Amino acid sequence: MTMRETILELARAICAPTEAEEPLLEALASAAEAELAGRLGTEVSPADCGDAFPCAAALLTAAGLLACRTGGEAEQFTVGDVSLRTGSGGSGGAEILRRQAERLMAPYVVDGGFFVQGVRG
């Protein structure tokens, strides 16, 4: 199974796209994969990230589809046994998925706003 196929399989499990949404899901998966790959350092490949890369790309893909479905704000979102309901002013399911993707990729991305500096003591 290719990386893209893995990303699509995971994204489908997260957001259960309709048949009509499949072309959009595939485009979103391609964009998410390219975005994350572009944020990796020159010495890190997607394969070096293990399961974090396809999971993060799938989360970004699902977030994109969810945002398209709801205009960016989720009233209710369910994945397996986990259910999310937001009210007015909530961050929405899409934003939560994006933040989870950022957390997964934080150790690998160059521009993630996450910086650790070693200090000799």
Side-chain angles (χ1 to χ4, degrees), residues 15-43:
C15 62
T18 65
E19 186 177 330
E21 291 173 326
E22 278 294 324
L24 176 59
L25 189 77
E26 291 178 19
L28 289 167
S30 177
E33 183 178 11
E35 175 190 342
L36 290 177
R39 293 177 60 196
L40 295 175
T42 57
E43 297 178 17

Side-chain angles (χ1 to χ4, degrees), residues 1 5 21 23-24 27 31 41 45 47 60 62 64 68 90 98 108:
M1 183 177 290
E5 291 168 337
E21 291 173 326
L24 176 59
S45 74
L60 289 178
C68 289
R98 284 186 195 98
Y108 307 103

Side-chain angles (χ1 to χ4, degrees), residues 3-13 22 25-27 29 58 61:
M3 180 73 73
R4 176 77 45 81
E5 291 168 337
T6 302
I7 293 166
L8 282 167
E9 181 179 305
L10 293 170
R12 286 182 185 112
E22 278 294 324
L25 189 77
E26 291 178 19
T61 300

Side-chain angles (χ1 to χ4, degrees), residues 87-99:
S88 60
S91 62
E95 184 57 32
I96 290 170
L97 293 176
R98 284 186 195 98
R99 282 186 293 198

Side-chain angles (χ1 to χ4, degrees), residues 77-95:
F77 180 71
T78 303
V79 178
D81 294 335
V82 177
S83 182
L84 165 72
R85 180 181 294 266
T86 63
S88 60
S91 62
E95 184 57 32

